[in-house]
Amino acid sequence: MATPYTQVLPLPRHQHFPKPNPISNTVINDRYFENHPLVLLIDKCQSIKQLKQIHAYMLRIGLFSDPFSASKLIEASSLSHFSSLDYAHKVFDEIPQPNLFSWNALIRAYSSSQDPIQSILMFVNMICEGREFPSKFTYPFVFKASAKMKALRFGRGLHGMVVKGRDVGLDIFVLNSLIHFYADCGCLDEAYLVFENMQTRDVVSWNTMILGFAEGGYADEALKMFHRMGEENVRPNGVTMMAVLSACGKKLDLEFGRWVHAFIKRNGIRESLILDNAILDMYMKCGSIEDAERLFHKMGEKDIVSWTTMLVGYARAGNFNAARSILNTMPSQDIAAWNALISAYEQSGKPKEALSVFNELQLIKKAEPDEVTLVCALSACAQLGAIDLGGWIHVYIKKQGIKLNCHLTTALIDMYSKCGDVEKALEMFDSVNIRDVFVWSAMVAGLAMHGRGKEAISLFLKMQEHKVKPNSVTLINVLCACSHSGLVEEGREIFNQMENIYGIVPGVKHYACLVDILGRAGELEEAEELINNMPVTPGPSVWGALLGACKLHGNLELAEQACNRLVELEPENHGAYVLLSNIYAKSGKWDEVSLLRKRMRECGLKKEPGCSSIEVHSIVHEFLVGDNSHPQSQKIYAKLDEIAARLKHVGYVSNKSQILQLVEEEDMQEQALNLHSEKLAMAFGLISVAPSQPIRVVKNLRVCADCHAVAKLLSKLYNREIILRDRYRFHHFKEGNCSCKDYW
């Protein structure tokens, strides 16, 4: 027996149908065909095959020439659960004179599709043909397509047409869609202006405006709108509450979020799974795991969103055991849940754990990673400097025929850059035709961190030639490029052009970059003056940049001022104390070092331990200072002894200014330097990495001057290419030369 989706519909015999007019080829009596049995049968179709049968009968008897009958066919083929837009468009193209209903059906269908530009093109074609004029049922879906395309200029043109359209310009459905368009494009002022000028508003108007503010990052304004809504006696619904809960989550306002939860119960707002998930998400974002757990256990119905929200919430709170438990107990583990755990590990600075879950997903669960999985895995590889695994993911993308979009392209460029292969990153950049601002920015950042400042500036200028407008992050990246390459004048010029040429008001991070540029160049007075005249309050990054410059140039007085300001803003910033401690140690002021460390102990602060990692045969090996836990520890220390002997033979003398403890014995000073984590990683690299391959080491802190000098000599003594990445930049060593400037 045939299934309902393939069975043949019981069509009436065609000889019972009215015959077409042989002269005009149009069907006699249009009103009759509105209720024609064949037309009524369209609504009963359950598959595209059945619809095609009716289409064939309509063509046979001439019914397809009737505009209304043809429009019903368009509606079914484009908007039903079995819709086929390709087929619908082909049917549409065969209609001699499509009516407005047919145009609207396709415009609506395309606005919700993966190709919303077609909705806009359909609208433009309809206007150009001039036979039909858009109605209140046309504009909302064209605005929807414009919002998805972020086609602000086109949408503003539509707005003008609506205003001229008299009755259309007063339609609440059209105006609500216009508010949504502006809000979605980030033009909240214009959205609010449309809202304020509406003669009548419904709950959708309020919901759209509240959600626009919440998603646009204006949580306070969203909550004000909600309060005003109550003052004007507009009863909120479930959608309103979801928008308000979103604002609470972004504002981290747990108290008001609890009030909203109670308000929902008190006012009898219909509960739903979507609303419960919104409350759950709010509690997790506000850090109240107890409230979230209480609600989760009370929920009668849960979906993948409910489980994933709990998983992400636990992971963000650092409770990865609970997150993993949620994943294991989920009724169905779809790829979104795995992505949530991988992403949580990666964003929490646990890249090894992220890649472990990624491997489990493939090897044990045999699941196919999607775009989000791959982006998260590539980001984890970038953190670790795991170029072998990152390269494998790139090959996987090619073999699986996964289309490279801007997200994946950006992740690949970032991975190759942070793993030390900037040439491969450039190759990746040059291989793609579609580059958005994030792709360009990633490549500028890659060149910057490798000390190729002039190339970064050149790419920045080329980006503008390609009509891609830089964003705030792009400017930070190009200013960092100037900083790492000592391009002071270029940095000043770009910073001064930000507002006038690029339309970007400098933020705290931009000022921090300029302070860093000036500070590295020794212009400490100008840097201090810049900070004192900042129109915004200097943040930790600004004072940190000044403190780093003071260490570089040995300005103890200014360093103490910068450190005090930094600690005022971030009392638990151990880095500030460490930097000042370094300056004291470099000056031989060991009493001050001791006092500073005593202060750190009293505050419960500990210096972040140095950790270096190196990838060998797709396995990442980590080393701490003085580490002897590695399986090949004996060989590593034997190699270190060999290195020390060869360095001594060529007359190398350790830079003991890097020893931050009061160590009086000469041999103990040497030992303290030799146990740095990057030296252990380099020794392991000399043992394990093939001579033809570069030794790539990643350190979580800044590489000290002694380790930098040792790496430089090792590249010559062992004829090896060594690439060191620290917290701030890359250091490339080859044949005793270094591509970077020595900033210590």
Side-chain angles (χ1 to χ4, degrees):
M1 186 176 189
T3 65
Y5 292 98
T6 58
Q7 67 184 7
V8 178
L9 286 174
L11 299 173
R13 294 180 64 82
H14 70 271
Q15 60 263 36
H16 296 160
F17 298 155
K19 299 293 183 181
N21 185 317
I23 300 174
S24 64
N25 199 35
T26 58
V27 177
I28 302 170
N29 191 350
D30 286 347
R31 292 189 61 83
Y32 170 82
F33 287 109
E34 290 180 12
N35 295 306
H36 193 283
L38 199 58
V39 175
L40 295 175
L41 206 57
I42 291 175
D43 293 331
K44 297 180 181 180
C45 286
Q46 293 296 311
S47 69
I48 198 72
K49 182 177 180 180
Q50 292 177 350
L51 195 66
K52 286 179 178 180
Q53 287 179 325
I54 294 176
H55 184 190
Y57 271 85
M58 289 173 69
L59 288 170
R60 187 181 302 175
I61 66 169
L63 190 59
F64 186 72
S65 300
D66 170 53
F68 177 81
S69 303
S71 68
K72 289 293 290 181
L73 193 65
I74 293 290
E75 180 187 33
S77 58
S78 62
L79 299 173
S80 62
H81 66 86
F82 56 82
S83 63
S84 168
L85 270 174
D86 287 341
Y87 175 66
H89 207 133
K90 288 176 182 176
V91 172
F92 179 86
D93 289 339
E94 296 300 318
I95 302 174
Q97 294 185 3
N99 60 12
L100 183 58
F101 187 90
S102 298
W103 285 100
N104 285 349
L106 265 187
I107 289 170
R108 177 183 173 184
Y110 274 123
S111 72
S112 299
S113 73
Q114 297 296 315
D115 195 16
I117 186 64
Q118 294 299 328
S119 178
I120 294 174
L121 294 174
M122 288 292 297
F123 175 80
V124 171
N125 288 339
M126 183 180 79
I127 298 296
C128 290
E129 287 192 12
R131 291 182 181 140
E132 299 288 350
F133 294 95
S135 69
K136 64 181 181 180
F137 300 108
T138 313
Y139 285 109
F141 299 108
V142 188
F143 278 127
K144 180 180 179 180
S146 302
K148 289 176 77 173
M149 294 295 299
K150 297 293 185 285
L152 183 58
R153 189 174 177 182
F154 181 80
R156 282 177 174 149
L158 281 180
H159 187 179
M161 292 177 68
V162 166
V163 171
K164 292 178 182 178
R166 296 180 183 178
D167 292 342
V168 175
L170 298 175
D171 184 80
I172 196 166
F173 187 39
V174 173
L175 293 177
N176 286 343
S177 63
L178 180 56
I179 294 171
H180 175 264
F181 160 73
Y182 278 127
D184 224 36
C185 289
C187 300
L188 289 167
D189 287 340
E190 290 172 82
Y192 187 69
L193 193 62
V194 174
F195 176 84
E196 284 295 306
N197 289 329
M198 290 175 71
Q199 293 181 6
T200 57
R201 307 185 190 103
D202 61 5
V203 68
V204 177
S205 315
W206 290 91
N207 291 350
T208 308
M209 201 65 248
I210 293 171
L211 189 61
F213 278 130
E215 292 185 343
Y218 295 90
D220 287 328
E221 296 301 320
L223 297 181
K224 285 178 186 176
M225 287 292 290
F226 174 65
H227 288 304
R228 181 180 158 191
M229 184 180 183
E231 291 167 1
E232 296 191 17
N233 297 317
V234 181
R235 181 175 171 78
N237 59 16
V239 177
T240 319
M241 305 323 296
M242 284 190 286
V244 174
L245 288 163
S246 173
C248 292
K250 292 189 176 181
K251 196 183 175 187
L252 305 180
D253 192 340
L254 177 59
E255 184 180 352
F256 190 70
R258 284 174 174 157
W259 182 90
V260 171
H261 190 184
F263 178 91
I264 291 169
K265 294 178 180 178
R266 191 169 59 247
N267 287 271
I269 293 174
R270 190 170 66 86
E271 293 185 8
S272 65
L273 178 58
I274 296 175
L275 186 54
D276 281 344
N277 284 340
I279 300 169
L280 199 64
D281 182 63
M282 179 275 296
Y283 280 135
M284 278 301 193
K285 283 179 178 173
C286 292
S288 181
I289 291 178
E290 296 81 6
D291 283 314
E293 286 176 335
R294 198 176 300 117
L295 174 62
F296 183 75
H297 294 310
K298 284 182 180 177
M299 288 170 63
E301 181 187 2
K302 302 180 184 79
D303 63 2
I304 189 67
V305 175
S306 319
W307 289 92
T308 304
T309 301
M310 292 299 292
L311 188 156
V312 173
Y314 281 129
R316 283 178 180 166
N319 192 345
F320 288 99
N321 289 335
R324 185 67 214 220
S325 176
I326 285 285
L327 181 66
N328 293 339
T329 54
M330 290 173 70
S332 62
Q333 298 175 339
D334 70 354
I335 192 65
W338 287 92
N339 289 346
L341 187 59
I342 295 169
S343 176
Y345 273 126
E346 183 265 319
Q347 292 181 21
S348 299
K350 295 180 177 291
K352 286 187 76 172
E353 291 82 352
L355 292 177
S356 176
V357 177
F358 173 70
N359 289 333
E360 179 186 350
L361 172 68
Q362 290 190 291
L363 300 176
I364 300 175
K365 300 299 179 181
K366 307 293 184 183
E368 291 292 328
D370 64 7
E371 175 201 325
V372 177
T373 325
L374 297 171
V375 168
C376 292
L378 286 167
S379 297
C381 292
Q383 284 188 49
L384 281 171
I387 194 167
D388 290 349
L389 182 54
W392 180 88
I393 293 172
H394 191 184
V395 171
Y396 175 88
I397 291 169
K398 290 178 179 178
K399 284 187 175 180
Q400 296 297 316
I402 298 170
K403 186 178 180 182
L404 276 179
N405 57 24
C406 289
H407 295 295
L408 277 172
T409 303
T410 301
L412 283 164
I413 291 170
D414 184 63
M415 181 274 295
Y416 281 122
S417 297
K418 288 179 178 174
C419 288
D421 197 341
V422 72
E423 294 302 329
K424 190 72 176 177
L426 283 166
E427 183 183 315
M428 183 73 242
F429 178 82
D430 292 333
S431 70
V432 294
N433 296 320
I434 301 174
R435 307 184 189 113
D436 65 4
V437 64
F438 301 104
V439 173
W440 286 92
S441 297
M443 196 63 252
V444 170
L447 292 168
M449 69 179 73
H450 285 270
R452 295 164 67 163
K454 290 187 177 180
E455 290 177 68
I457 293 173
S458 176
L459 190 69
F460 174 67
L461 297 174
K462 188 177 178 182
M463 170 185 182
Q464 295 163 68
E465 291 173 6
H466 282 72
K467 308 300 181 186
V468 179
K469 185 180 178 182
N471 61 17
S472 178
V473 175
T474 319
L475 269 299
I476 290 172
N477 292 344
V478 77
L479 287 171
C480 283
C482 296
S483 175
H484 292 319
S485 300
L487 303 174
V488 181
E489 292 305 319
E490 292 87 341
R492 275 200 195 99
E493 183 181 358
I494 291 168
F495 182 87
N496 292 330
Q497 291 175 343
M498 279 184 62
E499 196 165 355
N500 293 332
I501 294 183
Y502 305 115
I504 297 170
V505 178
V508 173
K509 289 185 179 179
H510 302 101
Y511 277 98
C513 288
L514 186 55
V515 169
D516 193 49
I517 291 169
L518 297 172
R520 286 177 184 271
E523 304 288 347
L524 293 178
E525 289 185 10
E526 186 180 346
E528 186 180 12
E529 184 182 352
L530 176 70
I531 294 172
N532 292 333
N533 294 323
M534 279 176 61
V536 293
T537 304
S541 58
V542 174
W543 293 112
L546 183 62
L547 183 58
C550 291
K551 176 183 178 293
L552 176 63
H553 297 288
N555 191 323
L556 190 56
E557 182 182 351
L558 189 56
E560 289 174 332
Q561 293 178 32
C563 183
N564 289 334
R565 298 300 296 271
L566 185 52
V567 171
E568 284 176 15
L569 294 170
E570 293 183 340
E572 297 184 358
N573 187 333
H574 60 81
Y577 290 104
V578 171
L579 267 177
L580 186 57
S581 178
N582 289 349
I583 298 171
Y584 283 141
K586 191 175 181 181
S587 305
K589 295 181 179 293
W590 295 107
D591 289 340
E592 283 81 355
V593 171
S594 297
L595 287 171
L596 202 59
R597 295 197 168 190
K598 182 182 177 183
R599 188 177 168 188
M600 288 178 69
R601 285 193 297 272
E602 289 172 350
C603 296
L605 298 177
K606 291 183 180 180
K607 179 182 180 294
E608 183 180 356
C611 177
S612 297
S613 63
I614 179 172
E615 185 189 31
V616 178
H617 305 309
S618 300
I619 298 173
V620 177
H621 303 260
E622 291 184 335
F623 297 90
L624 297 174
V625 178
D627 200 341
N628 59 7
S629 62
H630 195 276
Q632 297 187 50
S633 186
Q634 192 173 352
K635 289 184 179 180
I636 293 168
Y637 278 92
K639 195 69 176 179
L640 275 177
D641 291 339
E642 177 194 310
I643 289 169
R646 294 189 68 171
L647 289 174
K648 189 174 182 179
H649 181 71
V650 296
Y652 178 72
V653 178
S654 301
N655 185 345
K656 300 188 178 61
S657 67
Q658 302 299 309
I659 304 172
L660 303 183
Q661 296 93 349
L662 183 54
V663 181
E664 294 180 352
E665 294 82 0
E666 189 74 19
D667 58 340
M668 291 298 290
Q669 290 182 344
E670 292 285 350
Q671 187 179 1
L673 285 171
N674 288 338
L675 296 180
H676 281 194
S677 62
E678 53 266 59
K679 288 194 176 85
L680 293 171
M682 285 190 286
F684 179 64
L686 288 170
I687 295 169
S688 309
V689 178
S692 60
Q693 298 299 312
I695 296 170
R696 305 174 192 271
V697 176
V698 176
K699 188 177 182 184
N700 63 330
L701 305 176
R702 191 175 193 139
V703 173
C704 76
D706 186 69
C707 290
H708 186 276
V710 167
K712 197 172 181 180
L713 278 171
L714 290 182
S715 70
K716 183 177 182 179
L717 293 173
Y718 288 89
N719 192 27
R720 299 296 298 266
E721 181 183 0
I722 299 174
I723 301 171
L724 278 179
R725 185 187 103 193
D726 65 16
R727 179 173 284 181
Y728 301 100
R729 59 168 304 158
F730 275 90
H731 310 270
H732 293 257
F733 307 95
K734 193 172 185 179
E735 298 176 351
N737 296 312
C738 179
S739 63
C740 60
K741 291 183 178 291
D742 299 349
Y743 287 124
W744 283 277

